Structure formats: structure tokens, C-alpha cells
Amino acid sequence: AMRGHKGWEEQWSSPEPKKEYDVIIVGAGGHGLATAYYLATVHGITNVAVLEKGWLGGGNTGRNTTIIRSNYLYDESAGIYDHALKLWDGLSQELNYNVMYSARGVMMLAHNVHDIQVLKRHVHANRLNGIDNEWLTPEQAKEFCPPLNISKQARYPVVGAALQRRGGTARHDAVAWGYARGASARGVHIIQNCEVTGVKRAANGAVTGVETTRGFIGAKKVGVVAAGHSSVIMNMAGVRMPLESYPLQALVSEPVKPVVPCVVMSNTVHAYISQSDKGELVIGAGTDQYVSYSQTGGLHILQHTLDAICEMFPIFTRMKMLRSWGGIVDVTPDRSPILAKTPVPGLYVNCGWGTGGFKATPGSGHVFAHTIARDDPHPINAPFTIERFRTGRLIDEAAAAAVAH
Ligand SMILES: Cc1cc2nc3c(=O)[nH]c(=O)nc-3n(C[C@H](O)[C@H](O)[C@H](O)COP(=O)(O)OP(=O)(O)OC[C@H]3O[C@@H](n4cnc5c(N)ncnc54)[C@H](O)[C@@H]3O)c2cc1C
Ligand SMILES: CSCC(=O)[O-]
């Protein structure tokens, strides 16, 4: 490392675990690291350990297609996703780390009358919640994104679009690194290569700590933020979660000159696309249709997705794909997250973000830290309980997911 410049290994500490902490966060993804950061900066709780079985940011946080938006349908969703979107705006300054947030616009395409009705409902609901979203004709959509094919001869012609201009992208790795550095600088221990293998409870049922591959670590408060493995860990505490874990794939092309100015998403043809600052086309798909903890997926999904991309953008039919990968997304029955206390005293859970939790990272960490610190949910995450799946008070955002899952 250059003299005085901190090398990667010095950007955050890698201490041996202590015997006990005030709070343990399971999972060093964006949500877990953001939670630890806000525990330290907002609530002054720094005797915290973030336990990560692999390397920080190596889960879905490092595998997603970085789309950021808040154009969901219900008031509760508007609350959490727009809270996050407002935090994205100043996050680079907050962390003193360039997270490369780019409000380049997220455009969702309509291909039939059903899509028009669903997307226009979102536009009206968003505006009632003070969230920007506007309806475009096919011609206006093409003006905003010139390579878009609006031919009426297309198999699924574009008949309109909903545009959220504040939506966009960010550099996912930088978000994890920025939060990790900020938390570590305030005394938080980030302990990688430390898999949680059990959750210990006292005779009165309260959590007392976790068993790990590096021994028992005590804590009276444990927050589980493990995405696709959240149900596995909650099972260790005797809590059965309404989650299913699916592979979700993405792929990138060879880098080319700037050509896609925004994010374009199509729920009907199951594809979405943006272009990274390096010039790669970043392409996403719907989930594979079987539950799995593998971080890969079926080739047929990618084939179908590329068919759709080539229909929407014929100029890309000869692009070469560089690589594809997958993550494990934890999906709830109503496609909304669970950010809540649990029936186990001292145990909290933040999961169920499915295919769309990267965009919520700052907002999720902020309110989950509040929930752990105060042992009471923040008003923004209060509706996102586990109990809603028993009471039926669902927050059904399946249509807003913009991918088939
Ligand atoms: C291909 C793909 C594309 C996506 N695209 C988008 C998008 O464009 N926009 C968007 O908003 N969302 C997107 N998502 C979803 C988004 O990535 C996730 O919802 C979000 O990143 C979840 O963040 P997290 O911090 O909860 O999870 P993660 O980053 O997965 O962190 C969880 C961590 O827990 C660790 N862990 C698991 N079990 C244990 C254990 N027993 N002990 C210790 N640690 C453990 C894991 O190793 C992991 O590092 C996408 C996801 C995928 C897979
Ligand atoms: C993986 S789809 C990303 C989103 O929901 O904005």
C-alpha cells in the first residue's frame, strides 16, 4: 500500500471474536453492515460483532444488478423504499465513500392493457405518497431511452412506460465496503469466515448468543440478516419463517460505449437492463422456479431473458455475454420484507427482501438498528411483521417486483 494509504485489509479490522458483545448481527451483507453502522452512529452502540460465514459483501449484496427505486404500490412500501432512496442521495457523503449512486431513471415497460392498468395505478399511488413517477407514451419512452424498440410489429410491443427519474443504480460492492469501514472505524467487530451454526437460548427462552465455527459468542441481542439463509438460522432458534429461497440469476456483456442511459425493466417479458459505468450491459431475469441454496441457476432462464432483451433492444443481438452468476433470494408470500422482533426475546430478523432488497439497504439498516436498539420497531418498519402472515394483513407487492418471481 502507498505510504499512509490504507490497504484493503486495513479498511476494516479483522479481530478475533470476543467472548461477548452487546449485539451480534448475523450476516455481513449490505443490510447487516448498514445495521451495525447505524447502531454505532445513531444509537451509540458500538460493542457489536457482525458475523459472516464467508467474506463481507459476498452474498446478494455483491451479486445484484444494483437497481434502486421506490415506485412500489402500498403506503407501507413507499415508506421503507423512499426512506432508503432519500438516504441514497447523501450516502457517499455520509460514508465518505463513493457509492456511485446515479439517479439515471428507472423505466418500467407496459406491453398490454393489463400492464397499463397496473403501472398507471402505481404512478397515481406513488404521487399520492409524494414519490415521483410519470406515465410515458411509447414515443416518450424512446426519447428517454433511444435504443428501445417501440415497433408495433414486436412480439410484445411497448404500449407505454412508467418512469421514476430518482431511480437508478449504485456500485453494490462500494456500499458494503463503505458501511464496513464506517462501522469498523467506530469499534464494530466484523468477523469474516465465522459461520453461525446455532442460536442459544436460556431457560426463559431469551437468546444468549450463537454457536459459530469459531466457538460460542455471547450476546443478549442477535439480529439475523442472512438473506437466502435467514430461514435456516431462524430455524436454529426454533422459529419457522414464511420464506422460500430461490436462485436469481444475472449476467453482463462485454463493455461497450455508453448506449443505455437508464434502467429499463419489463415484468411481462421477464427482463431488465442497465449499463454499468464500465460499459457492460447488466441484465437480470426472473427467478428459477425451484427452491435451492445454489448460487447458480438454469441456462434456460438466461436464454429466455436474452430473447426478451433482443426483442426490446435489437441492436444488442450480436453482443457477447461475459459472465453470468446467481444468488439466493429469500421470498415471502407477499413479496415484502420482514423487519421485526421475533417471538424469541432478544432475537430480531431482517429478511424476505427477495429479488429487490439492494435498493432498500440504507433504509433497512437504519430502521433495523432502531428496532434492535429500542427493542421496538421504527414506525417505518412496524408493518413488516412475521405475524402479518397469520393475521392476513399482507403487503402484496408481487406486481411491483418487476421480475417474475
Ligand atoms: C442476481 C440478483 C440480482 C438482484 N438485483 C437486484 C436489484 O437490481 N435491485 C435490488 O434492489 N435488489 C436486487 N437483488 C436483491 C438484493 O441483492 C438482496 O435483496 C439484498 O442484497 C439482500 O441484502 P442482505 O444484506 O440482506 O443479503 P446478503 O448480501 O446476501 O448478506 C447476507 C449474508 O449472510 C451471510 N450468512 C448466511 N448464513 C450465515 C451463517 N450461518 N453465518 C454467518 N453468515 C451467514 C451470507 O454469507 C451473506 O454474506 C438481486 C439479487 C440477486 C441474487
Ligand atoms: C432484481 S429486480 C430489481 C428491482 O426489483 O428493482
Side-chain angles (χ1 to χ4, degrees):
M2 285 91 75
R3 180 178 302 286
H5 174 76
K6 277 193 159 190
W8 283 123
E9 63 288 349
E10 297 155 35
Q11 292 282 338
W12 43 78
S13 65
S14 292
E16 284 304 311
K18 294 190 311 189
K19 289 221 172 307
E20 176 137 22
Y21 293 88
D22 293 339
V23 178
I24 285 173
I25 301 292
V26 182
H31 289 236
L33 292 165
T35 300
Y37 176 83
Y38 291 117
L39 278 171
T41 54
V42 175
H43 303 281
I45 301 174
T46 55
N47 185 18
V48 176
V50 184
L51 307 181
E52 167 53 51
K53 72 175 179 179
W55 66 97
L56 72 85
N60 292 340
T61 299
R63 298 167 182 266
N64 67 76
T65 46
T66 78
I67 297 170
I68 294 168
R69 58 190 174 90
S70 63
N71 55 357
Y72 286 72
L73 180 61
Y74 291 101
D75 296 351
E76 299 88 342
S77 312
I80 185 72
Y81 289 106
D82 214 53
H83 179 52
L85 193 48
K86 291 184 180 103
L87 288 171
W88 277 112
D89 219 0
L91 195 58
S92 292
Q93 291 71 17
E94 166 75 27
L95 300 178
N96 187 26
Y97 208 103
N98 184 4
V99 298
M100 301 170 77
Y101 165 58
S102 160
R104 61 185 67 177
V106 172
M107 184 157 68
M108 293 186 161
L109 301 180
H111 299 274
N112 53 51
V113 172
H114 172 72
D115 287 348
I116 292 173
Q117 290 165 347
V118 168
L119 290 175
K120 280 190 173 179
R121 186 181 176 212
H122 278 237
V123 169
H124 300 316
N126 292 160
R127 289 166 68 173
L128 287 173
N129 276 315
I131 292 173
D132 64 308
N133 201 352
E134 59 194 273
W135 183 252
L136 303 181
T137 64
E139 295 68 28
Q140 290 168 325
K142 185 164 182 65
E143 189 184 352
F144 194 80
C145 182
L148 178 66
N149 172 23
I150 60 167
S151 160
K152 294 193 176 15
Q153 278 64 53
R155 173 72 184 80
Y156 295 95
V158 173
V159 294
L163 171 64
Q164 180 178 25
R165 293 177 191 269
R166 282 189 304 145
T169 61
R171 168 79 196 270
H172 49 12
D173 296 323
V175 176
W177 298 336
Y179 274 123
R181 192 180 71 170
S184 177
R186 289 165 176 82
V188 170
H189 281 189
I190 300 169
I191 302 168
Q192 302 175 76
N193 302 309
C194 179
E195 179 173 6
V196 168
T197 54
V199 177
K200 299 302 278 180
R201 296 173 60 178
N204 66 1
V207 77
T208 59
V210 293
E211 292 292 354
T212 79
T213 47
R214 293 170 69 171
F216 176 76
I217 304 174
K220 292 190 178 48
K221 290 187 172 184
V222 175
V224 176
V225 199
H229 283 87
S230 298
S231 51
V232 174
I233 297 172
M234 292 303 285
N235 235 1
M236 295 172 186
V239 180
R240 192 160 166 266
M241 295 296 289
L243 289 171
E244 290 186 324
S245 295
Y246 292 92
L248 178 66
Q249 300 186 70
L251 62 165
V252 291
S253 74
E254 59 190 327
V256 292
K257 68 175 178 56
V259 61
V260 182
C262 62
V263 177
V264 177
M265 308 181 78
S266 168
N267 205 346
T268 293
V269 300
H270 302 169
Y272 56 88
I273 189 170
S274 63
Q275 187 172 15
S276 75
D277 293 345
K278 287 190 291 184
E280 301 147 322
L281 299 180
V282 182
I283 295 168
T287 58
D288 284 66
Q289 293 310 308
Y290 52 87
V291 291
S292 167
Y293 291 114
S294 77
Q295 288 173 320
T296 57
L299 195 56
H300 65 292
I301 295 284
L302 297 180
Q303 197 73 39
H304 172 75
T305 302
L306 292 174
D307 288 345
I309 292 293
C310 291
E311 152 123 349
M312 294 194 288
F313 298 93
I315 64 166
F316 294 147
T317 44
R318 288 189 298 147
M319 285 290 284
K320 293 184 181 60
M321 292 299 120
L322 271 191
R323 65 183 180 280
S324 70
W325 65 90
I328 311 160
V329 292
D330 46 329
V331 180
T332 61
D334 63 0
R335 298 333 189 239
S336 286
I338 298 170
L339 265 158
K341 297 173 66 173
T342 73
V344 175
L347 184 66
Y348 308 84
V349 68
N350 175 347
C351 66
W353 293 98
T355 63
F358 172 68
K359 62 176 76 72
T361 303
S364 158
H366 189 253
V367 298
F368 195 50
H370 175 108
T371 304
I372 294 172
R374 308 266 185 102
D375 191 35
D376 201 27
H378 186 286
I380 287 176
N381 67 295
F384 295 96
T385 64
I386 306 175
E387 288 71 28
R388 73 176 190 268
F389 298 101
R390 187 168 40 74
T391 62
R393 180 77 181 78
L394 301 181
I395 304 167
D396 189 347
E397 291 287 1
V403 288
H405 72 265

